[in-house]
Amino acid sequence: MKNKKKRDVQANLEKEQILYPEKLKEKKKKRRKKIVLTVAFELLIFIAIVYVAFQIVRTVGKNSLNSRAESAGPELMLVEVQPQTLTEEEESRWQDGWVKHEGKIYAYNEDIMTFLFMGIDKNSDVKEVAEGTNAGQADALFLAVMNPHNKTIKVIGINRNTMADIDLYNEEGAYINTVKAQIAVQHGFGNGVEESCEYQKKAVQKLFYNLPIHGYAAINMSAIPTINDAVGGVDVTVLEDLTKKDAALVKGARVHLMGQSAFWYVKYRDTNEFASADGRLERQKQYLNAFIGEAKKAAKKDITVALDLYKAVSPQMVTDITVDEVAYLAPILTDYRFDSDSFYMPEGETVMGEQFEEFYVDEDNLYEMILEVFYEEVEME
């Protein structure tokens, strides 16, 4: 019976081809159009689902980041450079967290997001270590500051020899006491992963008067080539002769850094040379200025670059910034402005200690820099 019906359908089709060829063509055309419309509709539904899912992920990421801050703002009132007298009007309108400096009132910008980036002196993938001092030092420390009010990114470079309050722990992870030491050594305590990062984050927060930090990423120096090459490399004019590590890195030469050349340019310093950490920090400042520009270009061409890079460096990175948070940050960062004036370094003096170099921050300069980067003037009129 089924075969007979199939033969009848085929016979009718053949008859239509002979008697009504134009009508048959019109039927086929309508059928194809229906198929195309169906596929297009399904594709639109799929795109809509992906878009909505992505927006949900971004929203989750945004909310997660906003909930990270452990304090409402830096505690500048505790370290006022010069205590200021308030007028009657200022007293009547005064709010917690406000600061008066040189006759002006400032309030902390609570919409700012601050991220701590650490370059750890390890040339391997991340691995947990036993409690002690073998977790690696933070040879590079940078605070990246996103201000949505004026859509700017500002970066603060911290000298690795900055003398700061460092918490000491024994091999069981128990707190011993707090001493003044180079801030880079704080990461060395702990287990080499999250614990060490939290210790380092706390040390930086204390240096900046309990500044809120919304996320961190500690990246082993061995990841530099991967990060650099992901944006197509970076152009720099070599600031100091590094030919002992790379023949192309001649002082004054204009080079396009790729692979190991980028590694040596960012990481190397001659520890036998006094204040070599200061010179390396200048190179890192120069490199980051160029890198951020290239990263923004790459992200505008392909928004997935940030997520791809996140995955690529994951074996060499410890971070509390999640994938959904990266998904939130990546699209908006392309619209933020960053230039050579957006890079800050606390002023101070490097001296030779009993064993190692010590950098002492100028407290007045640090105070004013925090006001400039993290605060906004309050209009009293």
Side-chain angles (χ1 to χ4, degrees):
M1 184 65 70
K2 287 183 180 179
N3 289 337
K4 184 177 184 304
K5 284 184 178 181
K6 190 174 179 181
R7 286 196 302 270
D8 290 344
V9 169
Q10 183 64 31
N12 289 333
L13 185 60
E14 289 173 356
K15 186 195 294 186
E16 282 193 37
Q17 284 179 329
I18 296 170
L19 299 176
Y20 313 107
E22 294 301 324
K23 187 177 178 181
L24 187 61
K25 282 182 182 180
E26 188 64 27
K27 273 188 179 182
K28 287 182 178 180
K29 189 175 179 181
K30 286 182 179 179
R31 194 180 300 118
R32 282 197 298 267
K33 187 176 180 180
K34 185 178 179 180
I35 292 171
V36 169
L37 288 173
T38 301
V39 171
F41 180 73
E42 291 175 350
L43 184 60
L44 284 173
I45 292 294
F46 175 74
I47 291 171
I49 291 171
V50 170
Y51 176 79
V52 170
F54 182 67
Q55 294 306 316
I56 291 172
V57 167
R58 291 192 67 220
T59 301
V60 170
K62 180 181 180 180
N63 294 337
S64 175
L65 286 168
N66 286 332
S67 67
R68 289 277 187 81
E70 297 170 358
S71 60
E75 299 172 357
L76 290 187
M77 291 292 290
L78 303 177
V79 287
E80 285 186 328
V81 179
Q82 293 179 339
Q84 304 281 303
T85 303
L86 301 179
T87 65
E88 289 185 10
E89 181 188 0
E90 289 168 350
E91 282 187 345
S92 67
R93 296 178 56 185
W94 194 260
Q95 295 183 22
D96 287 342
W98 282 11
V99 177
K100 185 173 183 179
H101 180 64
E102 295 185 350
K104 296 179 179 179
I105 307 295
Y106 297 89
Y108 175 69
N109 180 355
E110 294 184 357
D111 293 326
I112 268 179
M113 286 191 181
T114 303
F115 301 91
L116 174 62
F117 290 92
M118 303 164 258
I120 310 303
D121 63 345
K122 294 277 189 179
N123 294 324
S124 61
D125 288 353
V126 169
K127 61 180 179 180
E128 188 170 344
V129 298
E131 295 278 354
T133 58
N134 299 316
Q137 297 186 5
D139 269 354
L141 288 166
F142 296 96
L143 284 171
V145 185
M146 290 176 57
N147 185 348
H149 291 181
N150 56 16
K151 290 191 178 297
T152 60
I153 300 171
K154 294 182 179 178
V155 176
I156 300 173
I158 304 169
N159 191 311
R160 55 100 59 215
N161 291 326
T162 299
M163 299 301 286
D165 289 335
I166 301 300
D167 293 336
L168 304 183
Y169 300 84
N170 63 21
E171 292 181 354
E172 283 72 45
Y175 170 77
I176 302 174
N177 68 333
T178 299
V179 300
K180 284 288 184 184
Q182 289 85 349
I183 197 168
V185 306
Q186 183 67 87
H187 186 275
F189 293 91
N191 60 3
V193 284
E194 288 81 5
E195 188 178 59
S196 293
C197 291
E198 291 294 339
Y199 290 165
Q200 188 67 66
K201 174 184 169 184
K202 181 181 176 183
V204 172
Q205 285 181 303
K206 285 192 292 185
L207 177 67
F208 283 78
Y209 314 125
N210 294 324
L211 173 76
I213 293 178
H214 297 81
Y216 66 74
I219 305 170
N220 287 358
M221 290 294 196
S222 53
I224 291 172
T226 301
I227 297 170
N228 177 84
D229 295 0
V231 301
V234 168
D235 292 323
V236 297
T237 299
V238 180
L239 295 181
E240 58 184 300
D241 186 83
L242 300 172
T243 51
K244 64 175 66 177
K245 289 298 181 183
D246 190 316
L249 300 180
V250 179
K251 184 177 180 179
R254 186 70 177 170
V255 299
H256 183 71
L257 296 174
M258 291 294 291
Q260 287 300 113
S261 291
F263 173 80
W264 291 120
Y265 197 75
V266 173
K267 182 182 184 298
Y268 179 72
R269 73 182 178 106
D270 186 348
T271 54
N272 294 318
E273 183 181 333
F274 181 72
S276 61
D278 300 20
R280 181 175 65 181
L281 186 54
E282 285 292 341
R283 295 200 314 269
Q284 291 172 345
K285 170 186 173 181
Q286 177 205 36
Y287 176 83
L288 279 176
N289 274 323
F291 175 83
I292 291 174
E294 295 302 323
K296 287 179 66 178
K297 289 179 190 176
K300 282 182 178 179
K301 290 180 182 177
D302 181 2
I303 200 62
T304 65
V305 165
L307 290 171
D308 292 342
L309 183 56
Y310 181 95
K311 294 174 184 175
V313 300
S314 288
Q316 297 154 299
M317 176 175 68
V318 179
T319 182
D320 65 350
I321 305 171
T322 62
V323 172
D324 53 5
E325 290 167 350
V326 173
Y328 163 68
L329 292 169
I332 64 174
L333 282 174
T334 59
D335 295 326
Y336 277 56
R337 189 178 75 257
F338 179 85
D339 53 42
S340 58
D341 294 329
S342 302
F343 202 106
Y344 296 74
M345 289 193 291
E347 295 177 4
E349 181 184 12
T350 297
V351 299
M352 193 64 206
E354 292 183 7
Q355 286 185 286
F356 306 106
E357 293 174 15
E358 300 173 353
F359 179 81
Y360 290 89
V361 168
D362 182 320
E363 292 291 342
D364 290 357
N365 170 260
L366 178 62
Y367 185 96
E368 292 178 354
M369 184 186 71
I370 291 174
L371 279 180
E372 180 179 348
V373 175
F374 297 96
Y375 282 72
E376 294 177 331
E377 186 177 347
V378 178
E379 297 295 339
M380 299 300 290
E381 295 182 358

